[in-house]
Amino acid sequence: MAQVGREVDDFLMYFILMEKIPVGSRTVESGRLCCMSEESYLQRVTGDQDPAPSLSVTVIEENILIDVDVNVLHPLSQRQAALLLAIHNSTERLNCFLERGLLEQAVQAEVGQRVLVEHEQKLFPALIHYVGNTLDTSTLLPPVYFGVELEGEGEGRGNMDGSYKGVTFFKCRKSSGLLLPFNKVIFSGAPPPDDAGSTLSGSVNPGDKVMFFVEDSLKRGIVVFSSNQAATGFVEVLPEEAPSSELLKIPLDSIVKEENATPDHQSPVKDGKPAGREEPVKVNVRERHLEVDSLVQIQYKGDELAFGIIRWLGYLPQIDDVMAGVELEEDKGCTDGSWWGHQYFFCPPRRGLFLKLKACQPDTRFLSSRDCSPKSLESPKPSRDDSHRVPGKVPPLQGAAAVDILEGDMRGIQGHCNSCYMDAALFSLFSCSSVLDSLLFKPSSLPDGNIQQTLREEIVNPLRKKGFVSADSVMNLRCQLMEKSQCPSFTTSEKDPEEFLNLIMHRILGADPLLKLQSEGQRVQECYCYQIFIEKQQEMTVPNVQQLLEQSFHHSQLKLAEVPSCFIIQMPRFGKEYKMFSKIVPSLELDITDLLADSPRECVVCGNLATLECAECFKDVILSDHGLKQYCLVCSKQVHSHHKRKNHKPTPLKIPEGFLKTPNKILRETLELFAVLSIETSHYVSFVKYGTEKGSWMFFDSMADRFGSENGYNIPRVTLCPEVATYLAAPLNDLMNQNPREMKGVAKRLFCDAYMYMYQSKRMALYK
């Protein structure tokens, strides 16, 4: 993106206010943008002991400092913040952020892209010539605008030739340029230049989908009457949101025709509902394999295919054929699931399409076997039948069996439509470990049999038995999660792994929390994943997971209330881009003995039973370079006799009563690493330890390769990566000096891109 004007601090973090904030006698409106330095953010989060700390942020437009509850702030990238700042109304800005789709399109928009723009309450085709700021120094972050050149009917209706306040940002025809915020631009559905005029003022026919403005608001509707349009210059349109059969008379030059495949018949509306029939859906033999949630492809325009999911099957008014309501993968539709004022299903705007069921074909990109040859595409075998289910109990894979079943192409879980976060998480948790198998079988307090059965019989069991899970099985799970979570983007948008795990474990299956954390004087807190927050220290250049966990627990004054069967740890990074450490060394074994609240511990000096702990000795490298510091009474007196430690205040440890009477050998409580999730450029992959040998590591990528282009499908791949063990055994100095680009195989993605570590206690898993 082009940037003009003063430079913006690269070390600022940006947020949008999700709620109004009272500040003295005034109120800071929701939708305002705020910022703070990364350094201040890290110090505040790691230094504050409140469960929901507040942050001191600067309101960008007003340049004032306010304290805000962290839960009211939503993080933004610098690019998102700059685009949102161009929208001056904070309420409108917040609405644009919540819709997300348009903002995501704006972030990816490029110079040379054809778009539609809103101008003078009409839509005109245009060409993007410039993306950047306009020398606006009135705020801490220069807002970003789109410089466009109007085409077709819009030519000569602009207000510039590419120059603004004496500065030339781009060049275009006289009075044909505009500088606009992104919410005045439609990035998809723009007509090609040759057809620009016809889509604006050319011939339209009954049944055509059109866009138009009513009182500054963009509307969509169906043309129902257009006779003698050349003479009158008007057409009659039924708006999609119409509560009755009232038609609107719209000037012909104020509409834009949507060419995106409309239904074959229109029918009258009665009492706000379609005058249709309610009867069982009759499907012929050829169409029996298609049902609700089936993945389908549609002949869209000419040879172009569109892909989607059947959300509804039934009859529409005055149409004899069985109709399908399809949610498309892209904005190529013409509805949000409504037809003539009646909502048949729900999907984002412009993702829905109604068409005859016989016009739908199974999506040929997804195969149910390892055969991915072009021949298999000619006669696709639909995988949404009972053959993809594997009932019963299938144990996790280990050793040679894991290699035999999982290694190779079309192995693992097939990725599709931003599913890598889920694919990598499921492969990590279930391919070679049984620590969370209770989720598959254990009755929960919030039972959802369908989702649990899908997870068990369509994903975990096929993965362990056949080594392959087709994308439609994962999509089936995503559809069910979307319905339960009421989040329409669950089948299309990328999520975070922890968001998926929290949803399925807590809200869907009602599983017991994996972690119970206790802070001094506070109640036990329960959670499923633990996020590490620490202050960056100069001496910690290449830390290991053990050090990071101890640092985080020390700064947050936390203890484990009990030994977890599964410990999922998120690394200290903020978003998918910022990383606190360039490399992190995986700790193959995690010693949590000293992190337990009421467990006997060893004196770090003599090894006897410890009775005191000193938080202030934690950073004393003379005693040891890491680890919590606890002592017996004698050693504590000796250690704190030093003049530098005289002011320390050791606290008593809780010792189990039986241990005081008959002291026993103190056993170390350890967890073993079984999987790591990594992320690079918004794509998640997985490392799994599949055996006891040091080199028993495998790497999984659900979208490692692709067959075909737009109409093709992703090829998941599992490869062995014994080179990981070589770097794990290397001296720390060698690892510090190792150039990531020169690391062999996929080792760089484990050491440099780690996002989430997964540990298990096989002893505790027996009781969970």
Side-chain angles (χ1 to χ4, degrees):
M1 176 184 296
Q3 293 289 333
V4 180
R6 63 182 180 81
E7 294 183 359
V8 178
D9 187 357
D10 291 334
F11 298 98
L12 289 179
M13 300 183 69
Y14 299 92
F15 308 90
I16 185 170
L17 282 176
M18 305 302 288
E19 300 177 9
K20 294 181 179 180
I21 301 296
V23 179
S25 59
R26 53 165 297 188
T27 299
V28 178
E29 296 295 322
S30 58
R32 292 291 188 188
L33 299 189
C34 308
C35 66
M36 68 183 303
S37 70
E38 288 180 357
E39 182 180 0
S40 299
Y41 176 82
L42 295 178
Q43 291 175 351
R44 186 72 178 103
V45 171
T46 57
D48 198 321
Q49 303 306 317
D50 296 333
S54 62
L55 298 177
S56 295
V57 297
T58 299
V59 182
I60 291 177
E61 294 156 286
E62 302 170 44
N63 201 15
I64 60 172
L65 194 66
I66 62 174
D67 286 335
V68 183
D69 189 313
V70 69
N71 296 310
V72 180
L73 296 169
H74 196 290
L76 299 170
S77 68
Q78 180 180 312
R79 187 159 178 159
Q80 289 175 325
L83 286 164
L84 287 165
L85 270 174
I87 303 173
H88 299 294
N89 183 283
S90 59
T91 301
E92 187 177 359
R93 179 190 297 158
L94 181 60
N95 290 335
C96 289
F97 168 74
L98 293 173
E99 289 176 4
R100 294 296 179 90
L102 184 60
L103 179 58
E104 291 175 4
Q105 290 176 347
V107 168
Q108 299 172 7
E110 299 176 345
V111 171
Q113 183 174 335
R114 296 197 177 275
V115 294
L116 294 174
V117 299
E118 175 190 337
H119 182 56
E120 298 177 346
Q121 300 186 23
K122 297 178 183 179
L123 288 176
F124 298 105
L127 179 67
I128 297 178
H129 281 293
Y130 173 78
V131 184
N133 65 65
T134 58
L135 295 175
D136 187 346
T137 58
S138 60
T139 63
L140 294 172
L141 176 68
V144 165
Y145 295 86
F146 287 87
V148 302
E149 179 179 9
L150 297 173
E151 299 179 329
E153 293 293 319
E155 184 178 345
R157 302 178 76 160
N159 54 26
M160 62 186 303
D161 60 0
S163 297
Y164 178 68
K165 292 185 177 180
V167 177
T168 299
F169 294 97
F170 60 95
K171 293 182 179 181
C172 70
R173 288 166 294 197
K174 185 178 180 180
S175 299
S176 294
L178 292 171
L179 282 169
L180 299 170
F182 76 91
N183 64 323
K184 300 296 183 183
V185 183
I186 299 175
F187 295 96
S188 60
D194 292 342
D195 298 331
S198 64
T199 54
L200 283 164
S201 59
S203 175
V204 293
N205 301 303
D208 285 344
K209 295 289 292 188
V210 293
M211 298 185 294
F212 55 94
F213 281 90
V214 175
E215 297 179 352
D216 297 334
S217 178
L218 180 64
K219 304 290 185 181
R220 289 180 170 84
I222 302 173
V223 175
V224 295
F225 185 75
S226 61
S227 66
N228 200 24
Q229 56 182 269
T232 64
F234 287 87
V235 292
E236 293 187 51
V237 177
L238 178 70
E240 284 186 352
E241 305 88 350
S244 66
S245 57
E246 180 181 357
L247 301 178
L248 297 178
K249 198 171 184 180
I250 309 293
L252 187 60
D253 63 357
S254 297
I255 65 172
V256 172
K257 185 166 64 172
E258 290 188 334
E259 299 288 354
N260 301 351
T262 55
D264 297 326
H265 302 279
Q266 284 73 40
S267 51
V269 174
K270 184 177 181 180
D271 299 326
K273 295 182 179 180
R277 324 187 295 281
E278 294 186 5
E279 57 183 84
V281 176
K282 299 177 181 179
V283 181
N284 64 39
V285 175
R286 189 177 67 84
E287 299 160 354
R288 283 178 184 168
H289 55 270
L290 295 179
E291 57 187 2
V292 173
D293 291 338
S294 288
L295 295 166
V296 294
Q297 62 187 37
I298 302 157
Q299 202 72 31
Y300 180 62
K301 292 180 182 177
D303 295 330
E304 183 182 352
L305 292 177
F307 301 93
I309 306 170
I310 294 180
R311 298 295 190 201
W312 172 85
L313 286 175
Y315 294 99
L316 292 175
Q318 297 184 8
I319 301 178
D320 295 331
D321 296 279
V322 177
M323 301 293 288
V326 178
E327 179 180 356
L328 300 175
E329 292 177 0
E330 302 177 79
D331 294 342
K332 295 180 177 180
C334 53
T335 177
D336 60 357
S338 62
W339 173 274
W340 288 79
H342 183 72
Q343 198 80 39
Y344 288 90
F345 64 96
F346 292 92
C347 70
R350 299 201 59 176
R351 288 289 180 94
L353 189 66
F354 289 96
L355 72 164
K356 296 177 183 179
L357 179 61
K358 62 186 180 184
C360 300
Q361 297 294 328
D363 192 331
T364 57
R365 296 174 299 174
F366 307 129
L367 308 178
S368 58
S369 68
R370 295 186 76 167
D371 180 15
C372 30
S373 64
K375 184 178 180 180
S376 65
L377 292 176
E378 297 170 7
S379 302
K381 177 184 176 183
S383 54
R384 299 297 311 140
D385 54 33
D386 288 339
S387 65
H388 63 281
R389 290 185 177 272
V390 178
K393 296 182 180 180
V394 181
L397 298 165
Q398 282 287 308
V403 176
D404 291 342
I405 294 177
L406 290 174
E407 185 186 15
D409 283 357
M410 291 302 282
R411 301 284 83 184
I413 302 172
Q414 187 180 35
H416 168 61
C417 199
N418 297 317
S419 68
C420 62
Y421 71 96
M422 188 180 293
D423 306 328
L426 291 172
F427 187 89
S428 298
L429 288 173
F430 294 109
S431 60
C432 299
S433 172
S434 61
V435 68
L436 289 183
D437 276 17
S438 59
L439 290 177
L440 309 177
F441 301 99
K442 182 180 178 180
S444 64
S445 58
L446 298 171
D448 193 299
N450 290 335
I451 291 180
Q452 190 179 54
Q453 184 180 30
T454 298
L455 181 62
R456 180 179 65 247
E457 297 184 1
E458 292 193 37
I459 295 176
V460 177
N461 285 356
L463 177 64
R464 293 172 174 178
K465 187 171 183 178
K466 302 177 181 180
F468 175 73
V469 178
S470 63
D472 65 331
S473 292
V474 180
M475 184 59 79
N476 185 30
L477 177 64
R478 294 172 77 181
C479 291
Q480 292 174 327
L481 292 175
M482 179 188 70
E483 182 179 351
K484 289 294 179 181
S485 65
Q486 296 182 338
C487 177
S489 63
F490 228 101
T491 57
T492 55
S493 299
E494 179 185 312
K495 306 290 182 184
D496 294 324
E498 63 272 20
E499 181 181 356
F500 160 60
L501 295 176
N502 282 322
L503 172 67
I504 197 166
M505 287 195 279
H506 175 51
R507 291 180 56 189
I508 305 298
L509 299 179
D512 294 333
L514 300 179
L515 297 176
K516 294 185 178 180
L517 303 173
Q518 192 168 13
S519 183
E520 187 175 353
Q522 302 292 326
R523 294 192 311 171
V524 172
Q525 304 173 37
E526 298 180 334
C527 56
Y528 294 89
C529 303
Y530 179 73
Q531 169 74 63
I532 286 181
F533 288 108
I534 64 170
E535 296 176 349
K536 188 166 183 178
Q537 303 170 32
Q538 295 298 325
E539 63 272 14
M540 290 182 65
T541 53
V542 181
N544 59 40
V545 179
Q546 180 81 42
Q547 292 172 313
L548 294 176
L549 185 64
E550 290 173 352
Q551 289 273 351
S552 185
F553 266 54
H554 171 261
H555 288 299
S556 302
Q557 297 184 2
L558 289 176
K559 295 290 184 183
L560 288 167
E562 62 179 36
V563 179
S565 60
C566 183
F567 199 170
I568 300 175
I569 307 173
Q570 294 172 244
M571 290 300 98
R573 58 189 299 158
F574 306 94
K576 299 177 179 64
E577 299 172 1
Y578 174 74
K579 295 185 292 186
M580 182 175 285
F581 300 99
S582 60
K583 296 188 189 80
I584 295 175
V585 180
S587 298
L588 298 179
E589 191 175 77
L590 200 62
D591 191 332
I592 61 169
T593 309
D594 297 340
L595 303 179
L596 293 167
D598 299 324
S599 177
R601 294 156 64 180
E602 289 183 352
C603 172
V604 295
V605 179
C606 68
N608 291 327
L609 181 67
T611 57
L612 296 167
E613 180 181 35
C614 183
E616 293 160 296
C617 284
F618 180 83
K619 293 183 179 180
D620 196 325
V621 295
I622 297 177
L623 299 171
S624 66
D625 59 353
H626 67 88
L628 302 175
K629 308 299 191 298
Q630 61 271 338
Y631 314 97
C632 65
L633 187 60
V634 174
C635 292
S636 179
K637 288 182 179 179
Q638 292 177 344
V639 168
H640 291 99
S641 64
H642 193 282
H643 67 91
K644 289 184 177 180
R645 307 187 195 100
K646 281 187 176 181
N647 294 326
H648 289 192
K649 297 179 180 179
T651 57
L653 292 172
K654 293 182 180 179
I655 310 298
E657 187 175 343
F659 230 86
L660 289 173
K661 293 180 180 179
T662 56
N664 298 306
K665 182 181 179 181
I666 299 172
L667 299 177
R668 308 302 296 180
E669 194 69 58
T670 60
L671 309 177
E672 65 177 39
L673 178 67
F674 69 91
V676 181
L677 257 67
S678 296
I679 181 172
E680 183 183 36
T681 60
S682 297
H683 181 61
Y684 292 93
V685 294
S686 172
F687 289 86
V688 170
K689 190 82 164 59
Y690 66 86
T692 56
E693 299 296 326
K694 291 182 179 180
S696 299
W697 285 92
M698 58 175 53
F699 173 74
F700 164 65
D701 186 346
S702 66
M703 303 177 184
D705 205 346
R706 188 167 179 83
F707 179 85
S709 54
E710 182 180 352
N711 300 334
Y713 55 87
N714 290 313
I715 297 175
R717 178 180 297 149
V718 178
T719 55
L720 303 185
C721 51
E723 67 273 11
V724 165
T726 303
Y727 292 102
L728 285 171
L732 183 59
N733 284 338
D734 291 352
L735 197 58
M736 288 173 56
N737 298 324
Q738 175 70 56
N739 186 335
R741 295 183 179 181
E742 296 177 359
M743 297 181 83
K744 296 180 181 178
V746 293
K748 178 259 179 187
R749 304 185 75 172
L750 175 65
F751 287 86
C752 302
D753 302 322
Y755 182 85
M756 181 180 283
Y757 287 87
M758 299 180 176
Y759 289 87
Q760 63 183 352
S761 168
K762 292 187 175 179
R763 180 177 68 85
M764 292 305 300
L766 297 174
Y767 304 99
K768 295 293 183 179

